[in-house]
Amino acid sequence: MGDALVACDSQGTIAYVNTEAQNILGPAPSLLGTFLWQAIPQAAPDLGSLFRRTIAETTPVEHEAHLETNGRRYRFRLVPAAEGLLLFLTDATNHEASRGDGTVGHSARVAQLTTTLARAITADDVVATVVEHVLPPFDATGLIVQAVENGRLQSVGCAGYPAHFTNLVRNADATQISKGTPAYDILSAPHTLMFFPSPEELIAEYPATADFVAMGGKNSWAFLPLVVSGRVIGFCCISWSRRRDLTENERALLSALSALIAQALERARLYDAEHARAQELQRGMLPHVLPVLPAVTAAARFVPAGGDVGGDWYDVIPLTSGRVALTIGDVMGHGLSEAVTMGRLRTAVHTLVALDLPPDELLTHLNNIVSGLGDDFCATFLYAVYDPVSGTCTFANAGHPPPAVVHPDGAVRFPDLALNPPLGAAGPPFDTTDLLMPTDSLLVMYTDGLIESRTHDMGRGITHLTEILTTIGQPPPDTDHDAVTEHLDRVADTLATRLLASSPRCDDAALLIARTHRTPRHNIASWFLPDTAMAAAEARRHTRDQLTAWGLDELIMTTELFVSELVGNVVRHAKGPLQLRLLRTDVLICEVSDGSLTTPHIRRASSTDEGGRGLQLIEALSHRWGTRHAPTGKCIWTEQLLPS
């Protein structure tokens, strides 16, 4: 470089000086490790202020001053870099002579590219920066950037070529580095710029490039090695539509620029790899498919933001007695730790749901988990339990945006739910709200990233959401499951597209839509039983008659066994009121409710015990079974798979 270059860290300590800088300021040992304004005290009384201003504003600053060491006047250009600052010193004593030498223009280009590359985050950003700031000054029209990965070439970017050629380059991932190609030689001799001013010279040197030349439509090429700390990470090919010659100054400038590009590309590829792993982790902790349940038909969408990963999640979890839990949450903040916290909370929700806890108790346990993570963690959460028998949906809301309910007639309502503080910032008790859901209505749950952005607040987003929901329409009540699923998928796509396309996104967005269904009355049968020894016989008779009416004769024997055992236990060990209920959904559900809070447990009966084997039989013969507690007692339930 014709200019002097001094590199400093973010504190102003000099870390590097080139040969020209040593000629002007003194030998490197006397400069390295000192502060910039101490090494050049006569440059400007406020050089320290200029340094702090450049770091704070992240914009280049220029200054001119005389140096007492040689009496010449220099232009000082301070340029923020990725980890500090670069100072370029240009001899301005004879400005016209410097202009004729081209060093002033070269210095400005290097400084401008340095500043822009410092803001490049991804590999695509680096390629776009090179296209914008490197190609125009050289009148170049094409760019190919490829990186070495596991001994093969990986396409990073391609611009300025015909569509078919661009697609060919981008799709040719993991290309073998073959001998007899410019890529092989430039990677083998990484300190040499290779330039071919005409197609004839390129083909004569590398006959295998004839197809490359014909398809690309270029007439001159410069192959630049990308080297970081002596390690070759790839190459950059700049091309011209017309035949072109490069001067020595232009070749030197391209070599200097390639070093800047290499540093930026290496940093960006590390970011891309980390970001890809974080997104893979985040998506891996979300449901891959939603369960098919009689109570609801559901569809969901997750749209990540362009930056760091976040902590948005959703879930549809089957409960006992045909009920279903619908959950959606958002861990505040962005980053890998928030995504991991999201996975921990989702696992905790599954564990707590398996215990069949009431919604307010579930939020209490979940709040304790978030509080135990530390003061830096906080999450909003909306938990809904829908019962298809009664049509009631119980909501527990911890600081989350309100759900929307779309009625069968198209009316959109936002129910007035009891609002609790976010998890981690709240304390029990948590209030809940019961809402009677109209048959075949839609429940729309979402995170704030769907309705909120930098350009509009949550209120405006909810208004936009309402406008879209009023126009989506509803399929008829007798529509089959597949048609309803397709309709919900279209609704989810419409909401995600229209709400997220209207403004730039800064947050992840999760969306969960569920269409509620009621269990038909003819699939429900219940009886109150006397709290006497005759209860078991009466329960068996009701069970036998009902299963015969449903055409489930194959399940009569096992169901009678379950009923006898459960009703007998209530009569002997619990208290009334005693109720038997049978539900036919995708499984046969048998429930026995009583007024006692005592939970039955399986115990190991010895060979001489006369009792203690009833629950073992239920465990062996049922698909699954368990206990659900209520404020006035408990319910013991069993499930059996229906005959094929």
Side-chain angles (χ1 to χ4, degrees):
M1 296 179 62
D3 293 340
L5 171 64
V6 180
C8 306
D9 62 16
S10 59
Q11 304 301 317
T13 304
I14 297 177
Y16 170 80
V17 289
N18 69 349
T19 303
E20 186 62 24
Q22 296 181 60
N23 294 335
I24 299 173
L25 304 176
S30 65
L31 299 173
L32 299 179
T34 62
F35 289 113
L36 179 65
W37 45 90
Q38 294 175 347
I40 322 175
Q42 70 275 30
D46 59 346
L47 187 56
S49 300
L50 293 177
F51 172 86
R52 288 186 288 273
R53 173 185 163 191
T54 305
I55 292 294
E57 298 179 0
T58 65
T59 56
V61 175
E62 290 191 1
H63 177 78
E64 286 195 10
H66 281 91
L67 291 184
E68 297 178 359
T69 54
N70 56 14
R72 301 185 69 82
R73 185 173 183 82
Y74 287 88
R75 177 182 293 108
F76 292 72
R77 182 174 174 84
L78 292 83
V79 180
E83 299 178 356
L85 177 145
L86 298 178
L87 170 64
F88 296 90
L89 288 84
T90 304
D91 192 341
T93 306
N94 187 347
H95 186 68
E96 292 300 322
S98 297
R99 182 185 300 273
D101 187 59
T103 56
V104 173
H106 290 180
S107 174
R109 290 174 186 173
V110 172
Q112 185 180 35
L113 183 63
T114 301
T115 303
T116 310
L117 286 176
R119 294 193 294 265
I121 298 177
T122 67
D124 290 339
D125 294 340
V126 174
V127 173
T129 299
V130 175
V131 171
E132 181 178 356
H133 294 279
V134 176
L135 299 192
F138 293 93
D139 297 322
T141 58
L143 174 70
I144 297 175
V145 180
Q146 294 198 316
V148 178
E149 190 168 317
N150 298 324
R152 304 173 73 88
L153 285 176
Q154 192 86 13
S155 176
V156 176
C158 181
Y161 285 89
H164 66 278
F165 183 86
T166 301
N167 292 333
L168 180 65
V169 172
R170 289 176 177 173
N171 295 331
D173 287 342
T175 306
Q176 188 77 31
I177 305 176
S178 305
K179 290 185 178 181
T181 62
Y184 182 87
D185 288 347
I186 197 70
L187 297 176
S188 302
H191 301 291
T192 304
L193 179 148
M194 297 172 56
F195 178 70
F196 301 93
S198 68
E200 292 79 12
E201 294 185 50
L202 177 59
I203 295 174
E205 184 75 18
Y206 301 101
T209 62
D211 292 339
F212 167 82
V213 171
M215 289 188 295
K218 305 299 181 181
N219 286 284
S220 295
W221 300 264
F223 291 87
L224 312 175
L226 301 178
V227 183
V228 176
S229 301
R231 179 172 53 88
V232 187
I233 67 167
F235 73 90
C236 173
C237 176
I238 297 175
S239 57
W240 290 261
S241 297
R242 300 179 181 178
R243 300 196 179 199
R244 177 77 149 78
D245 285 322
L246 292 179
T247 65
E248 289 300 321
N249 278 339
E250 288 176 326
R251 294 185 182 220
L253 178 58
L254 281 176
S255 297
L257 296 180
S258 69
L260 297 176
I261 296 169
Q263 293 284 352
L265 182 62
E266 176 75 351
R267 185 176 64 250
R269 293 183 71 221
L270 290 175
Y271 171 84
D272 286 342
E274 180 180 352
H275 186 62
R277 286 193 295 268
Q279 282 197 324
E280 183 180 356
L281 172 65
Q282 183 183 32
R283 289 190 177 277
M285 290 187 292
L286 291 173
H288 296 291
V289 293
L290 297 179
V292 178
L293 302 172
V296 296
T297 304
R301 293 294 182 272
F302 173 76
V303 183
D308 289 334
V309 295
D312 294 27
W313 89 94
Y314 59 86
D315 234 325
V316 178
I317 309 172
L319 298 175
T320 61
S321 303
R323 299 170 305 137
V324 61
L326 305 168
T327 72
I328 194 164
D330 183 6
V331 177
M332 298 301 181
H334 295 86
L336 191 58
S337 62
E338 282 73 14
V340 172
T341 300
M342 175 268 287
R344 296 170 68 180
L345 292 182
R346 179 170 177 253
T347 302
V349 170
H350 272 265
T351 302
L352 295 172
V353 166
L355 299 176
D356 223 333
L357 298 176
D360 56 334
E361 290 187 26
L362 185 141
L363 256 64
T364 298
H365 289 289
L366 206 60
N367 179 71
N368 293 338
I369 293 174
V370 177
S371 299
L373 297 177
D375 297 336
D376 296 334
F377 290 94
C378 182
T380 65
F381 183 62
L382 178 61
Y383 182 65
V385 175
Y386 174 67
D387 186 349
V389 175
S390 64
T392 302
C393 193
T394 302
F395 294 92
N397 190 356
H400 203 79
V405 178
V406 184
H407 290 239
D409 60 0
V412 180
R413 301 284 186 270
F414 288 85
D416 186 15
L417 304 182
L419 185 60
N420 304 285
L423 301 176
F430 289 90
D431 296 325
T432 62
T433 304
D434 291 335
L435 180 67
L436 183 61
M437 299 287 292
T439 304
D440 296 320
S441 58
L442 291 185
L443 178 61
V444 181
M445 304 164 67
Y446 49 88
T447 57
D448 58 356
L450 187 73
I451 58 173
E452 203 173 24
S453 71
R454 294 189 181 98
T455 59
H456 62 255
D457 58 16
M458 185 177 295
R460 182 179 170 188
I462 289 179
T463 301
H464 193 190
L465 172 64
T466 304
E467 294 172 351
I468 299 174
L469 290 176
T470 55
T471 63
I472 59 174
Q474 286 268 45
D478 56 350
T479 306
D480 62 36
H481 176 271
D482 292 340
V484 173
T485 302
E486 293 178 3
H487 172 75
L488 294 184
D489 284 335
R490 289 194 299 269
V491 172
D493 290 336
T494 300
L495 291 176
T497 301
R498 294 178 60 179
L499 288 172
L500 299 178
S502 59
S503 59
R505 290 184 291 108
C506 58
D507 195 5
D508 296 343
L511 171 67
L512 177 61
I513 305 175
R515 181 174 181 174
T516 61
H517 310 297
R518 294 288 291 271
T519 302
R521 300 306 306 173
H522 62 267
N523 285 337
I524 307 170
S526 64
W527 305 269
F528 283 99
L529 302 175
D531 189 9
T532 65
M534 299 300 298
E538 186 174 340
R540 288 193 296 271
R541 177 171 53 81
H542 289 313
T543 299
R544 187 165 51 250
D545 293 343
Q546 189 60 57
L547 294 188
T548 300
W550 283 342
L552 300 177
D553 300 271
E554 297 180 32
L555 301 181
I556 290 178
M557 183 176 295
T558 54
T559 309
E560 282 186 328
L561 176 62
F562 297 162
V563 167
S564 295
E565 174 61 26
L566 297 179
V567 171
N569 283 345
V570 172
V571 173
R572 287 191 298 270
H573 306 296
K575 62 180 181 179
L578 176 59
Q579 184 181 13
L580 170 66
R581 186 170 74 164
L582 298 177
L583 301 175
R584 183 178 64 169
T585 59
D586 56 337
V587 294
L588 176 63
I589 302 170
C590 174
E591 298 179 343
V592 174
S593 304
D594 62 64
S596 171
L597 296 176
T598 305
T599 302
H601 297 285
I602 297 179
R603 66 182 180 87
R604 186 176 300 279
S606 65
S607 58
T608 59
D609 289 343
E610 295 183 359
R613 298 179 179 83
L615 293 181
Q616 293 182 16
L617 289 174
I618 293 177
E619 172 71 24
L621 298 176
S622 66
H623 177 57
R624 61 175 188 151
W625 74 281
T627 304
R628 180 175 70 252
H629 287 277
T632 58
K634 68 175 181 297
C635 169
I636 305 176
W637 53 270
T638 66
E639 288 185 2
Q640 299 176 77
L641 299 178
L642 298 180
S644 57

